[in-house]
Amino acid sequence: MSDLVIVAFPDEATAFALRAELVTLQKEYLIEMEDVVIVTREPDGDVKLHQAMNLTTAGAAGGTFWGALVGLLFLNPLIGAAVGAGAGALAGKLSDIGINDDFMKSVGASLDKGGAAVCVLIRKMTADKVLDRLGSFKAKGRVVQTSLSKDAEGALKGLLEQMAPLHQSSDQLGGGKG
């Protein structure tokens, strides 16, 4: 079973820096993530999701390959590639793996304007080493929601949160055990 962790920051730059660090940790096999998405709330109030992988683009690329291959069998690779790209793009757009987009948009709507949140679905991790590596984010964020154990959640909050909440309490955002 995977654990969901959502951490809010007062600015986008810190959220993108955390995602970059998590990707580095994954390359070093200290964490295994199913999904990592940054949710931003623009100054005008619009909520945007920044997926780590664009499923539509990935689907189109895969569809183009398979369509061209099938097209070669029927001596018309261009039509096969075009049909495959369209079908792959549609399949990618309709696929929703990982964290539910509507849920993340509701989290984004609760952020302060100009703020951002990192939503991570963790398959497994070496918690002590990951927390040590996230030291540069000390007192910069606020844990909005987790499904971690109480001990792990407490350690994460101890690292990321300041003594006083940044803007809103996690209770106002539906925080707590997810």
Side-chain angles (χ1 to χ4, degrees):
M1 187 167 132
S2 299
D3 288 309
L4 175 66
V5 175
I6 300 175
V7 180
F9 296 99
D11 61 272
E12 293 181 20
T14 308
F16 281 101
L18 177 60
R19 180 169 77 178
E21 183 62 26
L22 290 172
V23 169
T24 300
L25 292 170
Q26 182 161 287
K27 288 177 183 176
E28 296 174 8
Y29 303 102
L30 294 175
I31 189 170
E32 187 177 329
M33 300 180 290
E34 285 183 45
D35 198 8
V36 57
V37 179
I38 296 177
V39 181
T40 58
R41 184 158 185 221
E42 303 296 317
D44 64 3
D46 287 345
V47 174
K48 293 186 180 176
L49 301 180
H50 304 270
Q51 305 277 353
M53 179 182 196
N54 186 330
L55 294 175
T56 302
T57 303
T64 300
F65 171 76
W66 289 109
L69 187 62
V70 170
L72 278 173
L73 295 174
F74 296 104
L75 301 175
N76 201 342
L78 292 178
I79 291 177
V83 171
L90 181 62
K93 182 143 180 79
L94 295 177
S95 298
D96 188 15
I97 58 172
I99 308 167
N100 182 288
D101 289 354
D102 292 332
F103 172 72
M104 289 186 291
K105 286 179 182 177
S106 70
V107 168
S110 68
L111 295 171
D112 290 334
K113 291 181 180 177
V118 179
C119 304
V120 186
L121 197 55
I122 301 168
R123 190 171 295 139
K124 60 183 176 178
M125 72 172 163
T126 309
D128 57 338
K129 291 183 179 183
V130 170
L131 286 175
D132 286 345
R133 291 283 298 276
L134 297 180
S136 62
F137 297 94
K138 186 168 182 65
K140 291 186 178 180
R142 169 177 42 88
V143 177
V144 175
Q145 184 169 347
T146 78
S147 60
L148 297 170
S149 68
K150 288 185 185 226
D151 292 339
E153 183 176 338
L156 183 63
K157 284 183 176 183
L159 172 73
L160 294 174
E161 294 184 355
Q162 297 175 343
M163 296 307 278
L166 289 174
H167 299 284
Q168 300 175 339
S169 73
S170 61
D171 292 335
Q172 291 172 311
L173 298 173
K177 295 299 268 179

